[in-house]
């Protein structure tokens, strides 16, 4: 079997599960200031589980979560702290692990309709300033539209770091082909990015059952131009209605066992994925199961 890169899992839900400071609207950003040791501990547990790439706890450093005033005053410092905590976890564990700097949806997850290109530069810059010194990889994640993807590529292509671009898929009903939250198809997304200087296209924060179709569509266009990856969430499916990612504490599905997650990951790898990990609700035990399976295969 080809070498599979193992990512970490979901930081926010893991902080909540451990009883770390966690409430709306701050979400996972709350622990950065109230319990930074909890953030570092989660990073360390994902590393010990076998993650080869960990993601900075910067997803909630946006006005939607921390408010306009605090964002204006503290965004860069919080981004810097999220990078520092990831770096400290890697150093404390003493293993070779890469840090992916998380660049989140700036105007709300799953909401391509809210993307405002006129404000995006203003919101992205403090995150770039704070995170880039710690980044081995720059990761724009939970991207809902091609407009949002083009924005992040424009910002990240000057970073000098490998670029990973991760799309979230519409999982509210069955479609003949995999589509983004914007309604654009994965085929269109792959056609758009195929000539960009990026290292990987990924799919995240959607139900595991729909990921294989996205991989197949991407491979039809990309062939071996870049790596393809998946990190699914563990939200209970809501047919015909979009979960508000990080808007409220969505229930975790009952079949979210490490064994089932490995089974799903096997379908992704068989379809062509070379990077696997987890998003919301995927814990260190899931990542440990992935690492044991794929490293032994």
């Amino acid at each position: 079997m080809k070498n599979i890169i193992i990512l970490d899992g979901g930081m926010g839900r893991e902080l909540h599960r451990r009883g770390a400071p966690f409430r709306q609207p701050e979400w996972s950003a709350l622990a950065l200031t109230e319990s930074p040791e909890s953030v570092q501990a989660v990073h360390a547990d994902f590393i010990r589980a076998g993650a080869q790439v960990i993601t900075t706890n910067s997803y909630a450093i946006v006005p939607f979560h921390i408010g306009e005033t605090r964002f204006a005053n503290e965004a860069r410092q919080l981004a810097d702290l999220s990078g520092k905590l990831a770096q400290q976890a890697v150093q404390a564990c003493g293993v070779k692990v890469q840090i992916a700097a998380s660049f989140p949806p700036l105007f709300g997850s799953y909401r391509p309709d809210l993307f405002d290109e006129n404000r995006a530069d203003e919101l992205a810059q403090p995150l770039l300033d704070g995170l880039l010194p710690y980044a081995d990889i720059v990761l724009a994640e939970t991207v809902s539209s091609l407009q949002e993807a083009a924005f992040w590529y424009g910002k990240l292509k000057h970073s000098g770091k490998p670029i990973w671009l991760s799309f979230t898929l519409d999982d509210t009903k069955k479609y003949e082909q995999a589509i983004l939250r914007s309604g654009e198809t994965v085929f269109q997304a792959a056609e758009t990015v195929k000539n960009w200087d990026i290292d990987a296209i990924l799919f995240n924060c959607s139900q595991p059952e729909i990921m294989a179709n996205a991989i197949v569509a991407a491979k039809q266009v990309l062939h071996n131009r870049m790596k393809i990856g998946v990190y699914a969430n563990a939200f209970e499916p809501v047919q015909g209605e979009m979960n508000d990612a990080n808007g409220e504490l969505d229930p975790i599905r009952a079949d979210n066992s490490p064994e089932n997650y490995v089974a799903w990951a096997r379908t992704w790898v068989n379809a062509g994925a070379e990077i696997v990990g987890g998003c919301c609700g995927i814990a260190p035990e899931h990542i440990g199961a992935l690492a044991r399976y794929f490293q032994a295969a």
Side-chain angles (χ1 to χ4, degrees):
M1 182 181 288
K2 59 192 172 187
N3 183 40
I4 302 301
I5 299 170
I6 305 296
L7 308 184
D8 60 2
M11 171 64 73
R13 296 304 289 258
E14 186 61 18
L15 288 167
H16 179 264
R17 186 174 75 147
R18 295 175 183 218
F22 188 92
R23 63 176 181 267
Q24 285 293 64
E26 296 95 333
W27 202 255
S28 57
L30 188 63
L32 286 172
T33 49
E34 293 195 5
S35 185
E37 67 279 4
S38 297
V39 176
Q40 185 172 330
V42 171
H43 284 314
D45 282 351
F46 278 124
I47 292 169
R48 285 190 282 264
Q52 297 162 300
V53 179
I54 62 169
T55 308
T56 59
N57 182 30
S58 47
Y59 192 91
I61 306 175
V62 292
F64 174 83
H65 284 296
I66 65 173
E68 294 283 354
T69 300
R70 191 176 180 206
F71 184 88
N73 294 333
E74 300 180 40
R76 187 190 184 286
Q77 294 92 324
L78 290 171
D80 179 87
L81 177 58
S82 71
K84 188 174 298 181
L85 291 169
Q87 183 184 72
Q88 289 172 350
V90 172
Q91 292 170 344
C93 289
V95 294
K96 187 177 180 181
V97 171
Q98 292 187 298
I99 295 172
S102 169
F103 294 94
L106 298 172
F107 303 97
S109 300
Y110 301 179
R111 295 298 304 271
D113 56 310
L114 297 182
F115 184 78
D116 181 356
E117 197 153 11
N118 293 323
R119 281 204 73 200
D121 272 328
E122 167 198 345
L123 300 185
Q125 197 58 52
L127 301 180
L128 288 160
D129 293 341
L131 287 168
L132 286 182
Y134 304 96
D136 300 300
I137 296 162
V138 288
L139 168 64
E141 55 180 343
T142 324
V143 173
S144 291
S145 70
L146 296 184
Q147 181 188 26
E148 190 179 353
F151 167 77
W152 277 119
Y153 179 62
K155 298 300 291 186
L156 298 177
K157 67 182 180 181
H158 304 297
S159 68
K161 314 280 186 178
I163 299 171
W164 289 8
L165 186 62
S166 189
F167 291 96
T168 179
L169 307 174
D170 189 344
D171 54 10
T172 60
K173 49 187 175 290
K174 293 185 183 298
Y175 293 96
E176 291 185 4
Q177 56 183 315
I179 68 171
L180 311 185
R181 304 280 182 182
S182 61
E184 296 157 312
T185 67
V186 167
F187 187 87
Q188 289 173 307
E191 284 285 355
T192 297
V193 308
K194 70 180 182 182
N195 294 318
W196 291 358
D197 185 16
I198 65 176
D199 290 73
I201 182 175
L202 302 95
F203 305 100
N204 80 292
C205 210
S206 306
Q207 293 167 29
E209 292 90 342
I210 70 169
M211 296 300 198
N213 285 345
I215 298 166
V216 170
K219 280 194 72 68
Q220 287 175 352
V221 176
L222 300 173
H223 304 292
N224 295 315
R225 291 179 186 232
M226 61 191 69
K227 293 184 183 300
I228 299 175
V230 170
Y231 52 116
N233 66 32
F235 291 154
E236 191 68 42
V238 182
Q239 289 300 308
E241 179 182 344
M242 195 82 75
N243 282 316
D244 184 7
N246 295 344
E248 58 186 37
L249 205 61
D250 292 304
I252 297 299
R253 54 194 295 165
D255 60 352
N256 182 41
S257 68
E259 295 77 17
N260 284 345
Y261 200 72
V262 169
W264 283 318
R266 288 172 60 189
T267 69
W268 308 334
V269 170
N270 289 339
E274 298 175 78
I275 305 167
V276 294
C279 202
C280 309
I282 303 304
E285 54 263 35
H286 298 83
I287 301 307
L290 290 180
R292 288 189 297 273
Y293 180 83
F294 289 110
Q295 289 169 2

